[in-house]
Amino acid sequence: MDDSDELVKEFVTECNDYLDQLDRDILALERSPSDQEVRDSVFRAIHTIKGNCGYLGLSKLEAVAHAGESLLSRVREGEIAVTSDVVSVMLRVIDAVRVVVGHVEANGSEGEEDHAPLIRLISDLQKTGRIAAEQHAAVPTEDVAPRGPESTIRVDVDLLDKLMSLVGELVLSRNQILQFATTPDGAALAAVSQHLNLITSELQERVMKTRMQPIATVWSKFPRLVRDLTNELGKLVRIEMEGRETELDKTIIEAIKDPLTHLVRNAVDHGLEEPATRVGAGKAAEGRLLLRAYHEGGQVIIEIADDGGGIDIEGVKKRSIERGLLTPQQAVRLGDREVAELIFTPGFSTAAKVTSVSGRGVGMDVVKTHISKIGGTIDIQTTRGAGTTFRVKIPLTLAIIPALIVSSAKQRFAIPQVNLVELVLLEGEAAVRGLETVHGAPVYRLRGDLLPLVFLNAEFGDEQPDWRPAPGAPVNIIVLQADDQLFGLVVDEINDTQEIVVKPLQKRLKDIPLYAGATVMGDGRVQLILDVLGIAHRAHVLGRIHDTGSETKDGASDADGDLAALLLVQTEDNGRGAIPLSLVARLEEFPRSAIELVGGRKVVQYRQEILPLIDLRDALPERRLEPRSVAETNGGEVARVVVYSELGRSMGIIVPNIIDIVEERLEILSDTTRAGVSGCAVIQERVTELLDVQGMIRAADPSFFDRKRDAATAQG
Amino acid sequence: MATEAQLCTFFLGPHYFGVDVLGVQEVIRYQEMTPVPLAPVEIRGLINLRGQIVMAIDLRLRLGLPEREPGALPMNVVLTTDEGPVSLLVDAIGDVMQVDESRFAAAPETLEGLSRDLILGVYKLEEQLLLVLDTDGVISQGLVPGDDAGDGAQNSTSTPNSLPLPRPLESRYDDVQESS
């Protein structure tokens, strides 16, 4: 490479460093105008830039930098006060320099922009801005104070990548040797292995460290961003940072830059209120935006917290219903937190009129997608009137990840542990009874919730129409998280956990949605890394339990008309009612004598708990034929109960009779809703009322859904 | 002298093939492979080549020839590609042949059950024909589309959790909103 090319490259890198520093320093100067150290630092930076461009013959750049320098020198001498105008002009100078440097980097020219107006503006400002008192600080006459030794070095990322992959191979050979070490004659080898083990781990850690960068590299852009935004929006915002030195892998830093910028912009734009509104609400006129970063359990947590108005839960609900993301019935069911999460739903917010709902959410779904791409998660905490906190959790590094090793179809696979929730082993009797089917789809009841199951063997196309394992064979269920939903992956065997080095697959294999990559194991064999979300999509488990049929109106509006599985029950006057099967946890029969009355409500003892009961006749009084006492005897000795469970709480509905389970494409004929009924449809050529189970439960126990997260101690 | 070419040659049943020697990284004996369920049939599996993961394409299946007899172990001709090494599984390895480009001709009409699409042409040698393989074609497209190939293409954009590897981010959020 040409010498002068090298020089230009160096110049550009150096300039960019100085420009970033100037951004920070000038904003710091605005806050504390009398800080002599900052003044010097600002002056020194612009002076150095100017000096370098003279050296390289960049005359345009030199002119701009010179104008900036002369303004700054007067600021430094105290001849001009640091007003907001001066700061804005200085920021414009930095921007202009940045533009030219960008051109130089791209093609060696200085670009076409005309910087004369800016230079004129600066000289005007210097003339009119001479208001400050002649204040003489004892400034060293030396223009450039000596800089301290560099505490960091630049390393080529390609080189680092290579180093990293070498270490990856080293880890693999270590694993191989560790396997030998278990052979009987391996005493000496064991010692060597242990040493190698230590060295490798340390080397791995060190090399990873070289890739680490403080989060401040991303954050340092934010004060400027916030200043520009607040000026534009007429708001007052103070930005605070905690944990600037928290380190992350360079690739992750790159990957979170855009999502974080978006979150900050969002907080200023939608989260924090206008000064007047804030004062009206009894808060300080100046809003506070707090960025925090810290390590927790092998992950890095980044919080973006504002003390603004919080998310308007009702507004989000309304909007989601408008956009068809939610049905009114669902909306009532959801907790505040779940509602807030809706802003991450694709299609929740398009660019139009976002602010009118105080909604956040332009592209929030993309923020979430990008964060999950690097194995991270994001959640929200919001309190109306008090503010919103976004918490982003991301892994420290991407190249080496902990994984669970499993076997299926006589082959081993790795599952990234970031997706792993828990492991369930069913043996003996439990293996036979634990697996159930809800409408043909295998499920497992995990603490009261239905967990859809995917059989890995079946996904691989092994001829296994009967997914049930052989009687007595243990069943291994890996509970995995995909897109906020849990599902169980059934594998033949669970082997081990290991740190694996992720390697990408070739393009032709990337098209198979089941794999996220491959790795080499201790025995030298290649293993495929399973893509949890891809498997879930392929097996169509996502949304199966929750969506299918549970929202009848969704089903109707859907052009394709998803089939809805319904439980048909008889009402007392021989009419028909339908309950979405997805809401049914279990069907039970109790002897009528077992039903007790506690505090005016019917309950039955059920699985060591007390199950509150609703009688369908009470919920639909107009359907009742005879007086209750007569009906009680008519109903026979057995009460048929549809059990509804949600997050550990259950409620039973006594129905006169259960007719059938059907799968229908629902067409809602009438929306007429009344208590307990959410609509009408024709099912099996008969008009059938769609029963609003949640509504009934709410009518019987208004707090049922609020307390659903509590432990499963049902009350009488 | 510029009309000479060097070809790495190998055998597949009765056929004699060659690929440009500059595109060949190495030739190795049979390696254990990890099969990839749901992959196109001609992709026999993945090989660990000193820590690198190499996809192995069975050239017999790719070219529509009958399968190798059970027990007969193929050899690996490892090619360098933009996406890293790819191995072609062949029956046996021949010599590196120096050929005169003037002897190059289009592939004949009759090629005993071989699809001509993947043959760039032939060299007419003294004893036999040397078929020049279109390696790009062999590697890039599939013979048999994998199960749910369409699904896969769709999913590759909609599996945010999938690949725990860094990918460049789209810089403008609003533009990419439609895609998810």
Short mmCIF file of all heavy atoms in Angstrom, two decimals, chain A residues 255 258-259 262 349 363 365-366 370 372-373 411 460 503 506-508 511-512 514-516 518 520 524-526 531 533 538, chain B residues 32 34-39 42 48 51 53 55 83 85-86 139-142 148 152 160-163 169-171 173 177 180:
data_model
loop_
_atom_site.label_atom_id
_atom_site.label_comp_id
_atom_site.label_asym_id
_atom_site.label_seq_id
_atom_site.Cartn_x
_atom_site.Cartn_y
_atom_site.Cartn_z
N ALA A 255 -24.03 -4.60 16.88
CA ALA A 255 -25.40 -5.06 16.67
C ALA A 255 -26.42 -4.30 17.51
O ALA A 255 -27.58 -4.17 17.12
CB ALA A 255 -25.50 -6.56 16.96
N ASP A 258 -27.91 0.29 16.75
CA ASP A 258 -29.16 0.79 16.19
C ASP A 258 -30.36 0.59 17.12
O ASP A 258 -31.13 1.53 17.33
CB ASP A 258 -29.42 0.16 14.82
CG ASP A 258 -28.48 0.73 13.77
OD1 ASP A 258 -27.75 1.68 14.10
OD2 ASP A 258 -28.47 0.23 12.65
N PRO A 259 -30.54 -0.61 17.67
CA PRO A 259 -31.67 -0.76 18.58
C PRO A 259 -31.63 0.22 19.76
O PRO A 259 -32.64 0.81 20.11
CB PRO A 259 -31.54 -2.20 19.07
CG PRO A 259 -30.79 -2.89 18.02
CD PRO A 259 -29.89 -1.89 17.40
N HIS A 262 -32.50 3.67 18.77
CA HIS A 262 -33.93 3.76 18.57
C HIS A 262 -34.67 3.91 19.89
O HIS A 262 -35.60 4.71 20.01
CB HIS A 262 -34.41 2.51 17.85
CG HIS A 262 -35.71 2.69 17.18
ND1 HIS A 262 -35.84 3.32 15.98
CD2 HIS A 262 -36.96 2.38 17.59
CE1 HIS A 262 -37.12 3.37 15.66
NE2 HIS A 262 -37.82 2.80 16.62
N SER A 349 -47.51 -0.51 15.25
CA SER A 349 -47.43 0.89 14.95
C SER A 349 -46.79 1.07 13.58
O SER A 349 -45.72 0.58 13.33
CB SER A 349 -46.58 1.59 16.01
OG SER A 349 -46.44 2.93 15.67
N GLY A 363 -41.43 0.86 14.73
CA GLY A 363 -40.35 -0.10 14.52
C GLY A 363 -39.86 -0.79 15.78
O GLY A 363 -38.78 -1.33 15.80
N ASP A 365 -40.91 -3.47 16.85
CA ASP A 365 -40.80 -4.89 16.54
C ASP A 365 -39.43 -5.18 15.94
O ASP A 365 -38.85 -6.23 16.18
CB ASP A 365 -41.92 -5.34 15.59
CG ASP A 365 -41.90 -4.59 14.29
OD1 ASP A 365 -41.70 -3.37 14.34
OD2 ASP A 365 -42.08 -5.20 13.23
N VAL A 366 -38.93 -4.21 15.19
CA VAL A 366 -37.61 -4.41 14.57
C VAL A 366 -36.52 -4.35 15.65
O VAL A 366 -35.56 -5.11 15.61
CB VAL A 366 -37.37 -3.36 13.48
CG1 VAL A 366 -36.08 -3.66 12.76
CG2 VAL A 366 -38.52 -3.34 12.51
N HIS A 370 -33.98 -7.42 16.18
CA HIS A 370 -32.53 -7.30 16.15
C HIS A 370 -31.90 -7.78 17.43
O HIS A 370 -30.84 -8.38 17.43
CB HIS A 370 -32.13 -5.85 15.88
CG HIS A 370 -32.25 -5.48 14.44
ND1 HIS A 370 -31.96 -6.36 13.44
CD2 HIS A 370 -32.64 -4.34 13.85
CE1 HIS A 370 -32.16 -5.79 12.29
NE2 HIS A 370 -32.58 -4.55 12.51
N SER A 372 -33.15 -10.03 19.45
CA SER A 372 -33.20 -11.49 19.57
C SER A 372 -32.27 -12.17 18.58
O SER A 372 -31.85 -13.28 18.82
CB SER A 372 -34.63 -12.05 19.43
OG SER A 372 -35.46 -11.18 18.76
N LYS A 373 -31.93 -11.47 17.51
CA LYS A 373 -30.97 -12.04 16.56
C LYS A 373 -29.63 -12.35 17.21
O LYS A 373 -28.94 -13.27 16.83
CB LYS A 373 -30.73 -11.06 15.42
CG LYS A 373 -31.31 -11.51 14.10
CD LYS A 373 -30.92 -10.55 13.01
CE LYS A 373 -31.86 -10.65 11.85
NZ LYS A 373 -31.73 -9.52 10.94
N GLN A 411 -28.52 -39.56 16.14
CA GLN A 411 -27.56 -38.52 15.85
C GLN A 411 -27.57 -37.53 17.00
O GLN A 411 -28.58 -37.39 17.69
CB GLN A 411 -28.01 -37.81 14.57
CG GLN A 411 -26.87 -37.33 13.70
CD GLN A 411 -27.40 -36.75 12.42
OE1 GLN A 411 -28.29 -37.29 11.80
NE2 GLN A 411 -26.88 -35.61 12.03
N PHE A 460 -37.76 -34.80 11.60
CA PHE A 460 -36.74 -35.24 10.66
C PHE A 460 -37.31 -36.18 9.61
O PHE A 460 -36.60 -36.71 8.78
CB PHE A 460 -35.59 -35.93 11.38
CG PHE A 460 -34.73 -34.99 12.14
CD1 PHE A 460 -34.11 -35.37 13.31
CD2 PHE A 460 -34.55 -33.69 11.68
CE1 PHE A 460 -33.32 -34.49 14.00
CE2 PHE A 460 -33.76 -32.81 12.37
CZ PHE A 460 -33.14 -33.21 13.54
N LYS A 503 -20.19 -22.47 14.11
CA LYS A 503 -19.71 -22.24 12.75
C LYS A 503 -20.91 -22.16 11.82
O LYS A 503 -21.86 -22.93 11.98
CB LYS A 503 -18.81 -23.39 12.30
CG LYS A 503 -17.74 -23.72 13.34
CD LYS A 503 -16.42 -23.95 12.70
CE LYS A 503 -15.36 -24.01 13.78
NZ LYS A 503 -14.03 -24.02 13.24
N GLN A 506 -23.10 -23.77 5.15
CA GLN A 506 -23.05 -23.27 3.78
C GLN A 506 -24.45 -22.92 3.32
O GLN A 506 -25.43 -23.41 3.84
CB GLN A 506 -22.43 -24.32 2.87
CG GLN A 506 -20.97 -24.01 2.60
CD GLN A 506 -20.06 -25.18 2.84
OE1 GLN A 506 -20.48 -26.19 3.37
NE2 GLN A 506 -18.82 -25.03 2.45
N LYS A 507 -24.50 -22.07 2.34
CA LYS A 507 -25.74 -21.45 1.93
C LYS A 507 -26.84 -22.48 1.66
O LYS A 507 -27.98 -22.30 2.05
CB LYS A 507 -25.49 -20.60 0.69
CG LYS A 507 -26.58 -19.60 0.43
CD LYS A 507 -26.19 -18.65 -0.67
CE LYS A 507 -27.40 -17.93 -1.22
NZ LYS A 507 -28.28 -18.83 -1.96
N ARG A 508 -26.48 -23.53 0.98
CA ARG A 508 -27.53 -24.48 0.61
C ARG A 508 -28.15 -25.14 1.81
O ARG A 508 -29.27 -25.61 1.76
CB ARG A 508 -26.94 -25.55 -0.32
CG ARG A 508 -26.69 -24.99 -1.69
CD ARG A 508 -26.57 -26.05 -2.72
NE ARG A 508 -27.70 -26.96 -2.72
CZ ARG A 508 -27.66 -28.14 -3.30
NH1 ARG A 508 -26.56 -28.54 -3.89
NH2 ARG A 508 -28.70 -28.92 -3.29
N ASP A 511 -30.83 -22.89 4.07
CA ASP A 511 -32.23 -22.83 3.70
C ASP A 511 -33.09 -23.82 4.47
O ASP A 511 -34.31 -23.70 4.48
CB ASP A 511 -32.39 -23.10 2.19
CG ASP A 511 -31.82 -21.97 1.38
OD1 ASP A 511 -31.58 -20.90 1.98
OD2 ASP A 511 -31.62 -22.13 0.17
N ILE A 512 -32.47 -24.78 5.10
CA ILE A 512 -33.25 -25.70 5.93
C ILE A 512 -33.51 -24.99 7.26
O ILE A 512 -32.57 -24.59 7.93
CB ILE A 512 -32.48 -27.00 6.18
CG1 ILE A 512 -32.02 -27.58 4.84
CG2 ILE A 512 -33.33 -27.99 6.95
CD1 ILE A 512 -31.08 -28.74 4.99
N LEU A 514 -34.23 -25.83 10.12
CA LEU A 514 -34.03 -26.52 11.39
C LEU A 514 -32.68 -26.23 12.04
O LEU A 514 -32.51 -26.50 13.21
CB LEU A 514 -34.13 -28.03 11.15
CG LEU A 514 -35.39 -28.75 11.59
CD1 LEU A 514 -36.62 -27.99 11.20
CD2 LEU A 514 -35.42 -30.14 11.03
N TYR A 515 -31.73 -25.70 11.28
CA TYR A 515 -30.39 -25.59 11.83
C TYR A 515 -29.90 -24.15 11.91
O TYR A 515 -30.16 -23.35 11.02
CB TYR A 515 -29.41 -26.41 10.97
CG TYR A 515 -29.91 -27.78 10.67
CD1 TYR A 515 -30.22 -28.17 9.38
CD2 TYR A 515 -30.14 -28.67 11.71
CE1 TYR A 515 -30.72 -29.43 9.12
CE2 TYR A 515 -30.64 -29.94 11.46
CZ TYR A 515 -30.93 -30.31 10.16
OH TYR A 515 -31.44 -31.54 9.91
N ALA A 516 -29.17 -23.88 12.99
CA ALA A 516 -28.61 -22.56 13.17
C ALA A 516 -27.12 -22.54 12.85
O ALA A 516 -26.52 -21.49 12.80
CB ALA A 516 -28.83 -22.10 14.60
N ALA A 518 -23.30 -25.25 12.81
CA ALA A 518 -22.75 -26.55 13.15
C ALA A 518 -21.56 -26.32 14.07
O ALA A 518 -21.10 -25.19 14.23
CB ALA A 518 -22.32 -27.30 11.89
N VAL A 520 -17.94 -28.57 15.98
CA VAL A 520 -17.15 -29.80 16.04
C VAL A 520 -17.02 -30.21 17.49
O VAL A 520 -16.69 -29.40 18.35
CB VAL A 520 -15.74 -29.58 15.43
CG1 VAL A 520 -14.93 -30.85 15.50
CG2 VAL A 520 -15.86 -29.12 13.99
N GLY A 524 -14.29 -35.02 17.50
CA GLY A 524 -13.95 -34.63 16.14
C GLY A 524 -15.14 -34.68 15.18
O GLY A 524 -15.01 -34.31 14.02
N ARG A 525 -16.27 -35.16 15.68
CA ARG A 525 -17.42 -35.25 14.78
C ARG A 525 -18.11 -33.90 14.65
O ARG A 525 -18.08 -33.08 15.56
CB ARG A 525 -18.44 -36.25 15.33
CG ARG A 525 -17.93 -37.66 15.37
CD ARG A 525 -19.07 -38.56 15.78
NE ARG A 525 -20.04 -38.65 14.70
CZ ARG A 525 -20.20 -39.73 13.94
NH1 ARG A 525 -19.47 -40.77 14.16
NH2 ARG A 525 -21.09 -39.74 12.98
N VAL A 526 -18.74 -33.74 13.51
CA VAL A 526 -19.51 -32.51 13.29
C VAL A 526 -20.89 -32.70 13.89
O VAL A 526 -21.48 -33.77 13.77
CB VAL A 526 -19.63 -32.22 11.78
CG1 VAL A 526 -20.48 -30.99 11.55
CG2 VAL A 526 -18.27 -32.06 11.16
N ASP A 531 -32.00 -24.91 15.39
CA ASP A 531 -32.58 -23.58 15.43
C ASP A 531 -33.96 -23.72 16.06
O ASP A 531 -34.91 -24.18 15.43
CB ASP A 531 -32.68 -23.05 14.00
CG ASP A 531 -33.40 -21.72 13.94
OD1 ASP A 531 -33.96 -21.29 14.96
OD2 ASP A 531 -33.39 -21.11 12.87
N LEU A 533 -36.32 -21.67 17.04
CA LEU A 533 -37.46 -20.96 16.46
C LEU A 533 -37.85 -21.59 15.12
O LEU A 533 -39.03 -21.72 14.81
CB LEU A 533 -37.10 -19.49 16.26
CG LEU A 533 -38.29 -18.59 16.07
CD1 LEU A 533 -39.20 -18.64 17.28
CD2 LEU A 533 -37.84 -17.18 15.80
N ARG A 538 -41.67 -24.64 11.90
CA ARG A 538 -41.90 -25.75 11.01
C ARG A 538 -42.97 -26.67 11.55
O ARG A 538 -43.79 -27.21 10.82
CB ARG A 538 -40.60 -26.52 10.82
CG ARG A 538 -40.64 -27.47 9.67
CD ARG A 538 -39.34 -28.24 9.57
NE ARG A 538 -39.61 -29.62 9.23
CZ ARG A 538 -39.81 -30.03 7.99
NH1 ARG A 538 -39.74 -29.19 7.01
NH2 ARG A 538 -40.07 -31.29 7.74
N GLU B 32 -15.48 -39.62 7.95
CA GLU B 32 -16.80 -39.82 8.54
C GLU B 32 -17.63 -38.56 8.37
O GLU B 32 -17.11 -37.45 8.44
CB GLU B 32 -16.65 -40.14 10.03
CG GLU B 32 -16.77 -41.62 10.30
CD GLU B 32 -17.12 -41.86 11.75
OE1 GLU B 32 -18.28 -41.62 12.11
OE2 GLU B 32 -16.22 -42.27 12.50
N THR B 34 -21.36 -36.37 9.13
CA THR B 34 -22.56 -36.19 9.93
C THR B 34 -23.70 -35.88 8.96
O THR B 34 -23.68 -34.84 8.30
CB THR B 34 -22.39 -35.00 10.90
OG1 THR B 34 -21.30 -35.30 11.75
CG2 THR B 34 -23.64 -34.79 11.71
N PRO B 35 -24.68 -36.79 8.86
CA PRO B 35 -25.77 -36.51 7.93
C PRO B 35 -26.60 -35.30 8.38
O PRO B 35 -26.66 -34.99 9.57
CB PRO B 35 -26.61 -37.78 7.96
CG PRO B 35 -26.18 -38.52 9.17
CD PRO B 35 -24.81 -38.06 9.55
N VAL B 36 -27.19 -34.64 7.44
CA VAL B 36 -28.02 -33.48 7.75
C VAL B 36 -29.46 -33.83 7.38
O VAL B 36 -29.82 -33.83 6.21
CB VAL B 36 -27.58 -32.24 6.94
CG1 VAL B 36 -28.43 -31.04 7.31
CG2 VAL B 36 -26.12 -31.96 7.17
N PRO B 37 -30.28 -34.17 8.38
CA PRO B 37 -31.67 -34.51 8.07
C PRO B 37 -32.36 -33.38 7.30
O PRO B 37 -32.10 -32.21 7.58
CB PRO B 37 -32.30 -34.70 9.44
CG PRO B 37 -31.17 -35.03 10.35
CD PRO B 37 -29.98 -34.31 9.80
N LEU B 38 -33.17 -33.74 6.36
CA LEU B 38 -33.95 -32.82 5.53
C LEU B 38 -33.15 -32.10 4.47
O LEU B 38 -33.68 -31.29 3.73
CB LEU B 38 -34.69 -31.77 6.37
CG LEU B 38 -35.71 -32.32 7.38
CD1 LEU B 38 -36.45 -31.17 8.03
CD2 LEU B 38 -36.69 -33.25 6.69
N ALA B 39 -31.87 -32.36 4.40
CA ALA B 39 -31.08 -31.71 3.36
C ALA B 39 -31.37 -32.41 2.02
O ALA B 39 -31.85 -33.55 2.01
CB ALA B 39 -29.60 -31.81 3.69
N GLU B 42 -28.47 -35.23 -2.34
CA GLU B 42 -27.08 -35.35 -2.77
C GLU B 42 -26.11 -34.80 -1.73
O GLU B 42 -24.91 -35.03 -1.81
CB GLU B 42 -26.86 -34.68 -4.13
CG GLU B 42 -26.78 -33.16 -4.10
CD GLU B 42 -28.13 -32.51 -4.29
OE1 GLU B 42 -29.15 -33.19 -4.07
OE2 GLU B 42 -28.18 -31.32 -4.64
N ASN B 48 -15.57 -32.86 9.17
CA ASN B 48 -14.69 -32.00 9.95
C ASN B 48 -13.31 -32.03 9.30
O ASN B 48 -12.58 -33.00 9.38
CB ASN B 48 -14.61 -32.52 11.39
CG ASN B 48 -13.51 -31.86 12.17
OD1 ASN B 48 -13.01 -30.80 11.80
ND2 ASN B 48 -13.14 -32.48 13.28
N GLY B 51 -11.11 -28.82 11.78
CA GLY B 51 -11.84 -27.77 12.48
C GLY B 51 -12.77 -26.98 11.58
O GLY B 51 -13.63 -26.27 12.08
N ILE B 53 -15.82 -26.85 8.85
CA ILE B 53 -16.93 -27.72 8.53
C ILE B 53 -17.19 -27.66 7.04
O ILE B 53 -17.38 -26.59 6.47
CB ILE B 53 -18.16 -27.34 9.36
CG1 ILE B 53 -17.87 -27.72 10.81
CG2 ILE B 53 -19.39 -28.06 8.85
CD1 ILE B 53 -18.85 -27.23 11.79
N MET B 55 -19.21 -29.17 3.63
CA MET B 55 -20.37 -29.88 3.12
C MET B 55 -19.91 -30.84 2.03
O MET B 55 -19.13 -30.47 1.17
CB MET B 55 -21.33 -28.84 2.55
CG MET B 55 -22.56 -29.39 1.89
SD MET B 55 -23.69 -28.05 1.46
CE MET B 55 -22.96 -27.50 -0.10
N GLU B 83 -17.71 -19.55 -0.23
CA GLU B 83 -18.32 -19.83 1.06
C GLU B 83 -17.53 -20.82 1.87
O GLU B 83 -18.07 -21.48 2.75
CB GLU B 83 -19.71 -20.40 0.85
CG GLU B 83 -20.74 -19.36 0.61
CD GLU B 83 -22.10 -19.96 0.83
OE1 GLU B 83 -22.64 -20.52 -0.11
OE2 GLU B 83 -22.59 -19.90 1.96
N PRO B 85 -14.71 -24.25 1.97
CA PRO B 85 -14.51 -25.48 1.21
C PRO B 85 -15.78 -26.32 1.07
O PRO B 85 -16.62 -26.34 1.96
CB PRO B 85 -13.46 -26.24 2.02
CG PRO B 85 -13.44 -25.61 3.36
CD PRO B 85 -13.97 -24.24 3.24
N VAL B 86 -15.90 -26.98 -0.07
CA VAL B 86 -16.99 -27.92 -0.33
C VAL B 86 -16.35 -29.18 -0.89
O VAL B 86 -15.44 -29.10 -1.71
CB VAL B 86 -17.98 -27.35 -1.36
CG1 VAL B 86 -18.99 -28.42 -1.77
CG2 VAL B 86 -18.69 -26.14 -0.82
N ILE B 139 -22.32 -27.00 -7.14
CA ILE B 139 -22.41 -26.55 -5.76
C ILE B 139 -23.63 -25.65 -5.54
O ILE B 139 -24.32 -25.77 -4.53
CB ILE B 139 -21.12 -25.79 -5.37
CG1 ILE B 139 -19.96 -26.76 -5.36
CG2 ILE B 139 -21.28 -25.13 -4.02
CD1 ILE B 139 -18.63 -26.09 -5.36
N SER B 140 -23.91 -24.79 -6.52
CA SER B 140 -24.88 -23.75 -6.21
C SER B 140 -26.32 -24.22 -6.21
O SER B 140 -27.08 -23.88 -5.32
CB SER B 140 -24.71 -22.57 -7.17
OG SER B 140 -24.93 -23.02 -8.48
N GLN B 141 -26.73 -25.01 -7.21
CA GLN B 141 -28.14 -25.37 -7.20
C GLN B 141 -28.31 -26.80 -6.76
O GLN B 141 -27.43 -27.61 -6.89
CB GLN B 141 -28.77 -25.23 -8.60
CG GLN B 141 -28.40 -23.99 -9.33
CD GLN B 141 -27.82 -24.30 -10.68
OE1 GLN B 141 -28.18 -25.30 -11.29
NE2 GLN B 141 -26.92 -23.47 -11.13
N GLY B 142 -29.54 -27.05 -6.26
CA GLY B 142 -29.84 -28.40 -5.82
C GLY B 142 -30.44 -29.20 -6.95
O GLY B 142 -31.07 -28.66 -7.85
N ASP B 148 -39.66 -28.97 1.89
CA ASP B 148 -40.02 -27.63 2.39
C ASP B 148 -39.02 -26.56 2.04
O ASP B 148 -38.78 -25.67 2.83
CB ASP B 148 -40.17 -27.64 3.92
CG ASP B 148 -41.49 -28.19 4.34
OD1 ASP B 148 -42.44 -27.42 4.44
OD2 ASP B 148 -41.57 -29.41 4.52
N GLY B 152 -38.33 -22.90 3.91
CA GLY B 152 -37.03 -22.50 4.43
C GLY B 152 -36.66 -21.10 3.99
O GLY B 152 -36.24 -20.29 4.79
N PRO B 160 -35.70 -14.76 14.02
CA PRO B 160 -34.79 -13.87 14.74
C PRO B 160 -33.93 -14.61 15.76
O PRO B 160 -32.79 -14.23 15.98
CB PRO B 160 -35.72 -12.89 15.44
CG PRO B 160 -37.08 -13.47 15.34
CD PRO B 160 -37.09 -14.42 14.19
N ASN B 161 -34.44 -15.68 16.34
CA ASN B 161 -33.65 -16.34 17.36
C ASN B 161 -32.62 -17.27 16.79
O ASN B 161 -31.79 -17.79 17.49
CB ASN B 161 -34.57 -17.17 18.24
CG ASN B 161 -34.96 -16.40 19.47
OD1 ASN B 161 -34.36 -15.37 19.73
ND2 ASN B 161 -35.93 -16.88 20.19
N SER B 162 -32.73 -17.47 15.50
CA SER B 162 -32.09 -18.64 14.96
C SER B 162 -30.59 -18.65 15.11
O SER B 162 -30.02 -19.41 15.85
CB SER B 162 -32.46 -18.79 13.50
OG SER B 162 -31.96 -17.67 12.79
N LEU B 163 -29.95 -17.76 14.43
CA LEU B 163 -28.52 -17.90 14.28
C LEU B 163 -27.79 -17.05 15.28
O LEU B 163 -27.81 -15.84 15.21
CB LEU B 163 -28.13 -17.47 12.87
CG LEU B 163 -26.72 -17.80 12.44
CD1 LEU B 163 -26.51 -19.29 12.42
CD2 LEU B 163 -26.46 -17.21 11.09
N LEU B 169 -26.86 -5.36 10.69
CA LEU B 169 -28.21 -4.88 10.95
C LEU B 169 -28.64 -3.95 9.83
O LEU B 169 -27.84 -3.21 9.30
CB LEU B 169 -28.22 -4.07 12.23
CG LEU B 169 -27.98 -4.85 13.50
CD1 LEU B 169 -27.84 -3.89 14.65
CD2 LEU B 169 -29.13 -5.79 13.75
N GLU B 170 -29.88 -4.02 9.52
CA GLU B 170 -30.41 -3.00 8.62
C GLU B 170 -30.40 -1.70 9.41
O GLU B 170 -30.75 -1.67 10.57
CB GLU B 170 -31.85 -3.31 8.22
CG GLU B 170 -32.00 -4.50 7.32
CD GLU B 170 -32.10 -5.81 8.08
OE1 GLU B 170 -31.70 -5.84 9.27
OE2 GLU B 170 -32.54 -6.77 7.50
N SER B 171 -29.95 -0.67 8.76
CA SER B 171 -29.76 0.53 9.55
C SER B 171 -31.06 1.31 9.71
O SER B 171 -31.26 1.99 10.70
CB SER B 171 -28.69 1.41 8.91
OG SER B 171 -29.02 1.61 7.57
N TYR B 173 -34.77 1.38 10.49
CA TYR B 173 -35.81 0.52 11.03
C TYR B 173 -37.09 0.59 10.23
O TYR B 173 -37.70 -0.39 9.92
CB TYR B 173 -36.11 0.95 12.46
CG TYR B 173 -35.05 0.52 13.37
CD1 TYR B 173 -34.10 1.43 13.79
CD2 TYR B 173 -34.96 -0.79 13.77
CE1 TYR B 173 -33.09 1.03 14.61
CE2 TYR B 173 -33.95 -1.18 14.59
CZ TYR B 173 -33.02 -0.26 15.00
OH TYR B 173 -32.02 -0.67 15.81
N GLN B 177 -39.53 -2.62 8.31
CA GLN B 177 -40.63 -3.04 9.17
C GLN B 177 -41.53 -4.07 8.49
O GLN B 177 -42.00 -4.99 9.12
CB GLN B 177 -41.46 -1.83 9.54
CG GLN B 177 -42.22 -2.05 10.82
CD GLN B 177 -42.85 -0.78 11.27
OE1 GLN B 177 -42.95 0.16 10.52
NE2 GLN B 177 -43.29 -0.76 12.50
N SER B 180 -40.88 -8.19 8.64
CA SER B 180 -41.00 -9.16 9.72
C SER B 180 -42.43 -9.54 10.00
O SER B 180 -43.35 -9.09 9.44
CB SER B 180 -40.34 -8.62 10.98
OG SER B 180 -40.68 -7.31 11.18
#
